[in-house]
Amino acid sequence: MRGPVVVAVDGSQSSLAAVAVAVEEARSRRCALRVVHAFIWPLMHVPLGPSELGPSDGGLRHQAERLLDEAAERARELAPELEITPALVTGEPLTVLEAESREATLMVVGSRGLGRFVGLLVGSTAVHLAAHGRCPVLVVRGRGEPTGDVLVGVDGGPTDEAALAFAFAAASRYGVGVTALHAWDGWSTPVELGPGDPHTALYEKNHLQHQEERLLAEAVSGLGATYPDVPVERRLVRDHPRQALIEASGTARLLVVGARGRGGFTGLLLGSVSQAVLQHARCPVAVVRADGQGR
């Protein structure tokens, strides 16, 4: 059976916006929705019930149950036909959500939570889950009701195939097209000159552009046959990938990137481009692992 769409809630406006997006994702996938709140206070041995002088409906547990019920009720109002399960799970939020991602089709989180620090553009929960989650992670940010095609970053790296498959499947469900964007610097590209480490050789501009065009064309080849209802635009730009994707996200419904790119360092679970778009994109961002689970 297909796993549920899981949305994390903490009572913030950002998480309530994530609930609305998660409802649409579950509806379009025809799967269940699980609304999760990580309840950390029992681990810290904090009294959870109402105080002796307080109201009978006070206490931390009641507050947690109330915010979870409100989020689940919001989801039921938006999609009464969905199977919706609220879950109050004891544990630290990052640990709870990473565990939830093992069985989920998709994890949906807001870009900012109640525990944010001043100066951070995206919450630590969203960044951690994008790096460590076991399924695609959708971070709700940017415009309130984004429109446009699905934008997907292509860089020739190990996560291209999974990111493109996720983007085409999403576009097919939404009834929109896909813009596959590949950015290149226009000066040099790594090539294998023989045994040993790759070296960098300068290329004549037109030859290099031809190589980058071929990379992009090969990346999207075959997906048109799988998704004949999805129009495709191949967009090749001379720019840094981060800047190109952030700028293009201004007219996109969703931006899809791989968790790791071609230029990633060994040991990093989230590439620099993925981190940058999580911080600055103008539409929701989906981060997809190389295994492509949960399209």
Side-chain angles (χ1 to χ4, degrees), residues 220-283:
V220 301
S221 65
L223 285 165
T226 305
Y227 297 96
D229 58 322
V230 177
V232 185
E233 176 191 353
R234 299 201 303 263
R235 187 181 300 178
L236 183 69
V237 296
R238 290 184 61 189
D239 199 353
H240 192 284
R242 281 174 273 186
Q243 185 57 38
L245 288 170
I246 290 167
E247 182 177 348
S249 71
T251 56
R253 173 166 178 162
L254 173 68
L255 168 57
V256 183
V257 292
R260 286 284 304 280
R262 181 171 59 181
F265 292 95
T266 301
L268 290 181
L269 296 178
L270 193 62
S272 61
V273 172
S274 303
Q275 293 187 55
V277 298
L278 281 176
Q279 299 282 357
H280 300 287
R282 301 164 192 169
C283 68

XYZ file of all heavy atoms in Angstrom, residues 220-283:
471
model
N 15.914 14.808 -19.904
C 14.450 14.771 -19.994
C 13.952 13.760 -21.021
O 12.745 13.532 -21.125
C 13.875 16.164 -20.318
C 14.278 17.173 -19.260
C 14.319 16.635 -21.695
N 14.874 13.155 -21.768
C 14.444 12.213 -22.807
C 13.727 11.030 -22.169
O 14.123 10.521 -21.132
C 15.646 11.722 -23.612
O 16.521 10.974 -22.798
N 12.665 10.604 -22.793
C 11.902 9.459 -22.311
C 10.744 9.826 -21.418
O 9.745 9.102 -21.358
N 10.835 10.948 -20.714
C 9.751 11.322 -19.810
C 8.532 11.827 -20.572
O 7.408 11.718 -20.093
C 10.233 12.386 -18.819
C 11.149 11.828 -17.718
C 11.877 12.942 -16.998
C 10.350 10.997 -16.721
N 8.756 12.359 -21.767
C 7.625 12.803 -22.580
C 6.713 11.650 -22.950
O 5.489 11.799 -23.010
N 7.292 10.468 -23.188
C 6.489 9.297 -23.518
C 5.721 8.793 -22.295
O 4.589 8.324 -22.408
C 7.389 8.192 -24.071
N 6.342 8.905 -21.124
C 5.682 8.469 -19.895
C 4.561 9.419 -19.493
O 3.527 8.992 -18.970
C 6.709 8.370 -18.752
O 7.785 7.514 -19.161
C 6.078 7.813 -17.489
N 4.772 10.716 -19.746
C 3.782 11.743 -19.394
C 3.438 12.569 -20.635
O 3.818 13.733 -20.748
C 4.335 12.646 -18.292
C 4.624 11.932 -17.006
C 5.915 11.482 -16.712
C 3.617 11.688 -16.077
C 6.184 10.819 -15.522
C 3.878 11.020 -14.881
C 5.169 10.595 -14.623
O 5.431 9.939 -13.448
N 2.704 11.983 -21.578
C 2.396 12.699 -22.828
C 1.509 13.922 -22.612
O 1.417 14.777 -23.501
C 1.683 11.633 -23.675
C 1.126 10.665 -22.673
C 2.120 10.633 -21.552
N 0.856 14.004 -21.447
C -0.023 15.139 -21.162
C 0.719 16.339 -20.614
O 0.122 17.401 -20.414
C -1.086 14.716 -20.137
C -0.478 14.198 -18.840
O 0.565 13.504 -18.909
O -1.027 14.486 -17.762
N 2.024 16.204 -20.396
C 2.797 17.280 -19.765
C 3.688 17.974 -20.795
O 4.651 17.389 -21.296
C 3.677 16.715 -18.627
C 4.532 17.832 -18.016
C 2.818 16.065 -17.549
N 3.395 19.239 -21.127
C 4.293 19.978 -22.018
C 5.608 20.287 -21.308
O 5.634 20.516 -20.096
C 3.517 21.265 -22.335
C 2.435 21.356 -21.328
C 2.194 19.998 -20.766
N 6.711 20.264 -22.068
C 8.042 20.428 -21.485
C 8.762 21.600 -22.139
O 8.789 21.723 -23.365
C 8.893 19.156 -21.671
C 10.230 19.308 -20.959
C 8.156 17.937 -21.177
N 9.344 22.447 -21.316
C 10.240 23.498 -21.796
C 11.628 23.216 -21.268
O 11.821 23.090 -20.062
C 9.786 24.879 -21.316
C 10.760 25.993 -21.719
C 10.481 27.319 -21.051
O 9.448 27.436 -20.368
O 11.322 28.229 -21.189
N 12.609 23.098 -22.163
C 14.004 22.968 -21.749
C 14.623 24.363 -21.744
O 14.666 25.034 -22.773
C 14.771 22.041 -22.692
C 14.230 20.632 -22.742
C 15.283 19.646 -23.258
N 15.801 20.002 -24.558
C 15.373 19.498 -25.713
N 14.384 18.620 -25.724
N 15.925 19.866 -26.850
N 15.112 24.774 -20.577
C 15.645 26.133 -20.442
C 17.112 26.065 -20.026
O 17.441 25.607 -18.937
C 14.841 26.928 -19.408
C 15.224 28.403 -19.331
C 14.417 29.130 -18.271
N 12.982 29.071 -18.530
C 12.066 29.594 -17.718
N 12.445 30.208 -16.596
N 10.788 29.504 -18.028
N 17.995 26.525 -20.909
C 19.426 26.559 -20.658
C 19.846 28.003 -20.435
O 19.586 28.866 -21.282
C 20.185 25.964 -21.850
C 21.700 25.849 -21.723
C 22.066 24.786 -20.686
C 22.318 25.499 -23.087
N 20.463 28.284 -19.288
C 20.833 29.670 -18.965
C 22.282 29.717 -18.511
O 22.801 28.775 -17.905
C 19.914 30.259 -17.867
C 18.486 30.347 -18.357
C 19.984 29.448 -16.596
N 22.941 30.839 -18.805
C 24.303 31.074 -18.326
C 24.213 31.865 -17.033
O 24.048 33.081 -17.031
C 25.118 31.827 -19.367
C 25.457 31.025 -20.606
C 26.335 31.813 -21.546
N 27.604 32.179 -20.920
C 28.483 33.012 -21.471
N 28.216 33.584 -22.633
N 29.618 33.290 -20.845
N 24.285 31.148 -15.929
C 24.134 31.782 -14.614
C 24.516 30.746 -13.564
O 24.643 29.557 -13.862
C 22.683 32.238 -14.404
C 22.538 33.294 -13.311
O 23.549 33.575 -12.618
O 21.433 33.821 -13.145
N 24.666 31.200 -12.335
C 24.860 30.248 -11.247
C 23.540 29.536 -10.989
O 22.484 30.182 -10.990
C 25.337 30.952 -9.978
C 25.824 30.001 -8.938
N 24.974 29.243 -8.165
C 27.088 29.656 -8.560
C 25.677 28.474 -7.352
N 26.956 28.708 -7.562
N 23.554 28.215 -10.776
C 22.295 27.494 -10.576
C 21.422 28.073 -9.476
O 20.199 28.150 -9.621
C 22.763 26.074 -10.229
C 24.088 25.943 -10.901
C 24.717 27.296 -10.810
N 22.022 28.470 -8.361
C 21.217 29.015 -7.266
C 20.421 30.231 -7.715
O 19.212 30.313 -7.513
C 22.119 29.387 -6.078
C 22.545 28.222 -5.239
C 23.544 28.645 -4.186
N 24.908 28.603 -4.719
C 25.992 28.800 -4.000
N 25.898 29.090 -2.723
N 27.183 28.703 -4.534
N 21.123 31.178 -8.321
C 20.461 32.411 -8.732
C 19.427 32.153 -9.815
O 18.331 32.727 -9.802
C 21.494 33.425 -9.236
C 20.924 34.788 -9.582
C 20.203 35.430 -8.408
O 20.647 35.310 -7.260
N 19.077 36.080 -8.676
N 19.760 31.281 -10.767
C 18.837 30.999 -11.868
C 17.543 30.365 -11.358
O 16.439 30.742 -11.781
C 19.512 30.079 -12.886
N 17.649 29.408 -10.441
C 16.458 28.735 -9.917
C 15.625 29.668 -9.044
O 14.392 29.658 -9.114
C 16.854 27.486 -9.138
C 17.363 26.315 -9.981
C 17.959 25.230 -9.091
C 16.250 25.739 -10.848
N 16.287 30.464 -8.228
C 15.544 31.391 -7.367
C 14.781 32.402 -8.212
O 13.611 32.692 -7.949
C 16.508 32.085 -6.379
C 17.014 31.079 -5.342
C 15.822 33.261 -5.690
C 18.179 31.573 -4.521
N 15.425 32.920 -9.238
C 14.745 33.885 -10.102
C 13.570 33.235 -10.831
O 12.473 33.801 -10.898
C 15.727 34.473 -11.111
C 15.125 35.522 -12.021
C 16.138 36.146 -12.952
O 17.355 35.931 -12.749
O 15.721 36.858 -13.883
N 13.781 32.047 -11.374
C 12.713 31.366 -12.119
C 11.572 30.937 -11.216
O 10.431 30.787 -11.675
C 13.285 30.152 -12.856
N 11.841 30.757 -9.920
C 10.787 30.313 -8.998
C 9.697 31.367 -8.812
O 8.619 31.052 -8.312
C 11.391 29.960 -7.631
O 11.829 31.116 -6.932
N 9.973 32.599 -9.228
C 8.980 33.658 -9.077
C 7.715 33.433 -9.882
O 6.664 33.999 -9.561
N 7.786 32.604 -10.916
C 6.598 32.324 -11.739
C 6.250 30.838 -11.743
O 5.500 30.382 -12.600
C 6.819 32.794 -13.186
O 8.002 32.170 -13.718
C 6.986 34.308 -13.241
N 6.789 30.079 -10.792
C 6.561 28.622 -10.758
C 5.541 28.254 -9.696
O 5.396 28.931 -8.687
C 7.869 27.884 -10.497
N 4.852 27.168 -9.932
C 3.934 26.614 -8.928
C 4.706 25.821 -7.876
O 4.344 25.801 -6.698
C 2.908 25.713 -9.610
C 2.025 24.961 -8.623
C 0.829 24.362 -9.278
N 0.023 23.605 -8.317
C -1.237 23.262 -8.508
N -1.843 23.606 -9.629
N -1.893 22.582 -7.596
N 5.760 25.152 -8.315
C 6.561 24.311 -7.436
C 7.959 24.234 -8.027
O 8.133 24.151 -9.242
C 5.955 22.904 -7.357
C 6.753 21.826 -6.620
C 6.807 22.131 -5.122
C 6.150 20.438 -6.859
N 8.973 24.271 -7.154
C 10.357 24.065 -7.553
C 10.821 22.730 -7.002
O 10.683 22.461 -5.803
C 11.239 25.200 -7.020
C 12.759 25.008 -7.111
C 13.206 24.757 -8.544
C 13.477 26.219 -6.520
N 11.379 21.891 -7.872
C 11.867 20.567 -7.475
C 13.379 20.529 -7.672
O 13.885 20.871 -8.745
C 11.207 19.450 -8.308
C 11.685 18.078 -7.832
C 9.687 19.548 -8.238
N 14.086 20.107 -6.621
C 15.539 19.965 -6.706
C 15.943 18.635 -6.083
O 15.229 18.081 -5.247
C 16.281 21.109 -5.976
C 16.083 22.428 -6.697
C 15.851 21.212 -4.525
N 17.101 18.142 -6.493
C 17.650 16.951 -5.872
C 18.328 17.304 -4.563
O 18.796 18.429 -4.364
N 18.378 16.324 -3.658
C 19.015 16.571 -2.369
C 20.506 16.818 -2.517
O 21.105 17.548 -1.746
C 18.766 15.386 -1.433
N 21.111 16.210 -3.530
C 22.527 16.398 -3.793
C 22.744 16.681 -5.254
O 22.095 16.115 -6.116
C 23.310 15.125 -3.410
C 23.455 14.915 -1.926
C 24.501 15.846 -1.326
N 25.796 15.708 -1.987
C 26.674 14.735 -1.744
N 26.382 13.803 -0.857
N 27.824 14.691 -2.363
N 23.695 17.545 -5.564
C 23.996 17.890 -6.943
C 25.336 17.342 -7.397
O 26.050 16.662 -6.664
N 25.710 17.693 -8.636
C 26.958 17.201 -9.224
C 28.174 17.721 -8.477
O 29.189 17.055 -8.392
C 27.017 17.642 -10.697
C 28.247 17.168 -11.427
C 28.149 17.429 -12.908
N 27.978 18.834 -13.217
C 27.848 19.311 -14.443
N 27.793 18.467 -15.468
N 27.714 20.592 -14.663
N 28.057 18.932 -7.899
C 29.214 19.525 -7.249
C 29.268 19.299 -5.760
O 30.008 19.977 -5.062
N 28.486 18.350 -5.226
C 28.421 18.154 -3.780
C 29.702 17.565 -3.212
O 30.471 16.899 -3.900
N 29.944 17.842 -1.945
C 31.083 17.273 -1.248
C 30.652 15.983 -0.554
O 29.553 15.891 -0.021
C 31.628 18.247 -0.205
C 32.254 19.476 -0.800
C 31.519 20.639 -0.961
C 33.573 19.452 -1.213
C 32.102 21.764 -1.512
C 34.157 20.575 -1.763
C 33.432 21.735 -1.917
N 31.539 15.008 -0.529
C 31.251 13.755 0.146
C 30.910 14.013 1.608
O 31.608 14.741 2.292
C 32.467 12.816 0.051
O 32.758 12.587 -1.315
C 32.172 11.496 0.742
N 29.823 13.422 2.069
C 29.416 13.579 3.464
C 28.313 14.594 3.661
O 27.629 14.564 4.678
N 28.131 15.513 2.710
C 27.043 16.480 2.822
C 25.757 15.829 2.323
O 25.720 15.289 1.224
C 27.337 17.739 2.004
C 28.444 18.654 2.514
C 28.564 19.863 1.589
C 28.174 19.110 3.930
N 24.703 15.892 3.137
C 23.445 15.260 2.761
C 22.540 16.197 1.979
O 21.591 15.761 1.354
C 22.724 14.767 4.020
C 23.458 13.681 4.791
C 22.673 13.320 6.045
C 23.681 12.454 3.932
N 22.830 17.500 2.015
C 22.016 18.472 1.298
C 22.953 19.406 0.555
O 23.804 20.061 1.161
C 21.138 19.254 2.276
C 20.009 20.081 1.666
C 19.009 19.185 0.941
C 19.297 20.884 2.752
N 22.812 19.461 -0.773
C 23.693 20.280 -1.581
C 23.485 21.766 -1.357
O 22.451 22.212 -0.850
N 24.457 22.568 -1.784
C 24.397 24.015 -1.568
C 23.258 24.660 -2.341
O 22.636 25.616 -1.864
C 25.732 24.653 -1.968
O 26.007 24.420 -3.344
N 22.961 24.154 -3.536
C 21.849 24.708 -4.312
C 20.524 24.422 -3.609
O 19.659 25.297 -3.497
C 21.847 24.144 -5.746
C 20.579 24.567 -6.488
C 23.079 24.616 -6.503
N 20.366 23.195 -3.115
C 19.138 22.848 -2.394
C 18.967 23.727 -1.165
O 17.867 24.210 -0.880
C 19.166 21.368 -1.976
O 19.350 20.530 -3.092
N 20.044 23.945 -0.422
C 19.955 24.800 0.755
C 19.582 26.225 0.374
O 18.776 26.870 1.047
C 21.291 24.792 1.503
C 21.633 23.449 2.125
C 22.872 23.534 2.978
O 22.956 24.343 3.888
N 23.847 22.691 2.692
N 20.155 26.735 -0.714
C 19.892 28.114 -1.126
C 18.433 28.311 -1.526
O 17.804 29.309 -1.148
C 20.818 28.494 -2.281
N 17.867 27.367 -2.281
C 16.482 27.556 -2.713
C 15.514 27.368 -1.553
O 14.447 27.996 -1.515
C 16.121 26.633 -3.903
C 16.996 26.952 -5.109
C 16.218 25.162 -3.534
N 15.876 26.521 -0.576
C 15.034 26.414 0.615
C 14.968 27.752 1.347
O 13.950 28.088 1.950
C 15.576 25.338 1.554
C 15.268 23.888 1.194
C 15.960 22.949 2.170
C 13.779 23.623 1.181
N 16.047 28.504 1.303
C 16.095 29.789 1.993
C 15.420 30.911 1.209
O 14.819 31.803 1.807
C 17.557 30.188 2.250
C 18.344 29.230 3.115
C 18.037 29.387 4.593
O 17.270 30.252 4.983
N 18.638 28.556 5.420
N 15.503 30.877 -0.128
C 15.159 32.066 -0.895
C 14.127 31.875 -2.007
O 13.719 32.865 -2.626
C 16.429 32.652 -1.523
C 17.466 33.047 -0.518
N 17.336 34.150 0.294
C 18.650 32.459 -0.181
C 18.402 34.252 1.081
N 19.209 33.235 0.819
N 13.714 30.650 -2.301
C 12.764 30.450 -3.405
C 11.456 31.172 -3.139
O 11.054 31.377 -1.992
C 12.508 28.963 -3.617
N 10.772 31.543 -4.215
C 9.530 32.314 -4.122
C 8.294 31.448 -4.290
O 7.191 31.951 -4.490
C 9.557 33.422 -5.175
C 10.740 34.371 -4.989
C 10.982 35.209 -6.221
N 12.277 35.891 -6.120
C 12.852 36.526 -7.132
N 12.259 36.547 -8.322
N 14.021 37.127 -6.969
N 8.474 30.134 -4.237
C 7.359 29.195 -4.322
C 7.719 27.988 -3.464
O 8.859 27.866 -2.990
C 7.121 28.775 -5.775
S 8.442 27.765 -6.488
